[in-house]
Amino acid sequence: MKRDFLTLTDWSKAELDAIFALTRDLKAKQKCREPHELLKGKSVALIFEKSSTRTRVSFEVGVYQLGGQPLFISSATSQMGRGEPIKDTARTLSRYCDGVMIRTFGQEIVEEFARHATIPVINGLTDLGHPCQLMADLFTVIEHKGGYEGLTFAWIGDGNNMANSWINAAAVFGFDLQVATPDDYRPDPQVVERAERMGARITYSNDPRHAAEGADVLSTDVWASMGQEDEAEKRRLAFAGYQLNSTVLAAAKPGALVLHCLPAHRGEEITDEVIEGPQSVVFDEAENRLHVQKAIMATLMA
């Protein structure tokens, strides 16, 4: 039976831990230039309705390193951009390819695509969630801290797709999460409600230093995500007190890790001092997009 990777809560902790184990193995093989062509002879369509640097490069390189053929498809230059129904594209690509990754706006788009596709579908980012990035974040923490169990995580900033993904992760993996957002920019209510039903240990506030207090890992993201450019000035004012800086970092545990999914607006949501500091692991985090996504694709398609 085919499976999709649309949101973390579709998967069990044991299943996601198995993806981390495979990630570790594939990363070691890649570093040693050891062949690991688990997708040899297979093709993966990469559909982009939102522009990208890390998602596009990491998926294209990942498919290639696994021995497969990546196919970049832009909605602007395909029939999707001219109004072809999602279900028609899904069923057609299912006849050509072995898997699909979609980076788009609405979560409903990837969910509809997955309903009609007979091949695995991966959520490369939507406005609601970014599960591949979250898996890379957690794998980076595992590498630097030896695991995620017993750790306290902090999210500071916008209640966006990354905040939603951290909430989903806290629900699945069972770690403590402390979230600080402005009242008008809280995470998705349905995501919050589902996490509560799953017994997640999450506290919410509008105080960044309170969220950072005692944290082992701090994470943030841009204040205005793609598609919100016209709100940039309004958001800059609303998030003025939500910068991840040395004062906020000092409230965390000594040696706390700093994460950022990139691209970063230095001087806004995070200072140059912090992102370039010794506690920052943002470029390990960026690299791990490649390795984690290879493990996800191999799990679904190999």
Side-chain angles (χ1 to χ4, degrees):
M1 185 179 73
K2 80 113 173 176
R3 291 196 69 179
D4 306 301
F5 197 80
L6 306 184
T7 184
L8 294 177
T9 51
D10 291 339
W11 293 66
S12 70
K13 177 179 179 293
E15 290 170 330
L16 296 176
D17 281 338
I19 291 176
F20 288 141
L22 180 56
T23 300
R24 188 178 298 109
D25 178 60
L26 293 178
K27 184 173 183 177
K29 284 182 167 62
Q30 191 267 338
K31 295 297 183 182
C32 296
R33 303 297 179 186
E34 184 179 334
H36 48 288
E37 296 185 334
L38 301 178
L39 297 185
K40 188 173 183 179
K42 298 193 175 186
S43 299
V44 182
L46 309 176
I47 299 174
F48 287 83
E49 290 194 294
K50 283 190 174 186
S51 58
S52 168
T53 299
R54 277 153 291 274
T55 299
R56 178 175 178 178
V57 175
S58 58
F59 267 106
E60 286 201 27
V61 172
V63 174
Y64 174 79
Q65 289 182 355
L66 289 170
Q69 178 188 26
L71 303 168
F72 172 78
I73 302 174
S74 168
S75 62
T77 56
S78 70
Q79 296 299 331
M80 289 182 67
R82 299 182 62 209
E84 181 175 34
I86 294 169
K87 61 184 179 181
D88 290 0
T89 303
R91 287 182 288 194
T92 300
L93 291 183
S94 294
R95 304 294 182 100
Y96 300 150
C97 302
D98 300 281
V100 174
M101 185 285 301
I102 308 177
R103 179 180 170 94
T104 186
F105 292 91
Q107 181 74 15
E108 69 278 3
I109 294 173
V110 296
E111 290 178 356
E112 182 179 355
F113 202 106
R115 280 197 304 273
H116 294 282
T118 57
I119 55 177
V121 176
I122 296 172
N123 175 3
L125 175 143
T126 67
D127 291 340
L128 185 67
H130 201 355
C132 292
Q133 178 68 59
L134 199 287
M135 289 291 285
D137 292 1
L138 269 187
F139 183 73
T140 305
V141 172
I142 292 169
E143 286 187 314
H144 285 269
K145 294 287 189 181
Y148 54 78
E149 294 87 351
L151 300 183
T152 297
F153 294 76
W155 174 263
I156 296 168
D158 189 17
N160 62 8
N161 52 7
M162 281 305 302
N164 294 333
S165 297
W166 276 109
I167 292 167
N168 286 337
V172 174
F173 292 102
F175 52 71
D176 293 322
L177 177 63
Q178 299 169 172
V179 177
T181 65
D183 289 336
D184 292 337
Y185 297 92
R186 292 186 174 181
D188 183 84
Q190 292 184 343
V191 172
V192 171
E193 181 183 351
R194 179 175 57 201
E196 290 175 353
R197 291 199 307 267
M198 295 175 67
R201 300 191 303 271
I202 306 174
T203 61
Y204 300 91
S205 75
N206 53 16
D207 184 347
R209 292 192 66 181
H210 177 71
E213 188 173 348
D216 299 280
V217 180
L218 298 94
S219 188
T220 190
D221 192 9
V222 295
W223 294 337
S225 297
M226 199 174 302
Q228 298 172 335
E229 290 81 4
D230 58 339
E231 303 176 28
E233 186 56 35
K234 177 185 175 182
R235 285 172 167 268
R236 194 173 292 114
L237 294 173
F239 288 97
Y242 288 81
Q243 184 181 74
L244 181 44
N245 52 36
S246 57
T247 301
V248 172
L249 183 56
K253 288 182 182 176
L257 300 178
V258 172
L259 299 174
H260 191 304
C261 60
L262 300 178
H265 292 173
R266 297 173 185 232
E268 291 188 8
E269 77 276 0
I270 192 168
T271 62
D272 196 72
E273 176 188 13
V274 169
I275 201 170
E276 294 290 353
Q279 292 167 259
S280 171
V281 292
V282 298
F283 294 105
D284 292 345
E285 177 188 4
E287 177 190 344
N288 283 331
R289 286 287 301 278
L290 169 67
H291 307 298
V292 162
Q293 289 162 187
K294 286 165 65 176
I296 292 169
M297 289 188 288
T299 297
L300 295 174
M301 304 173 202

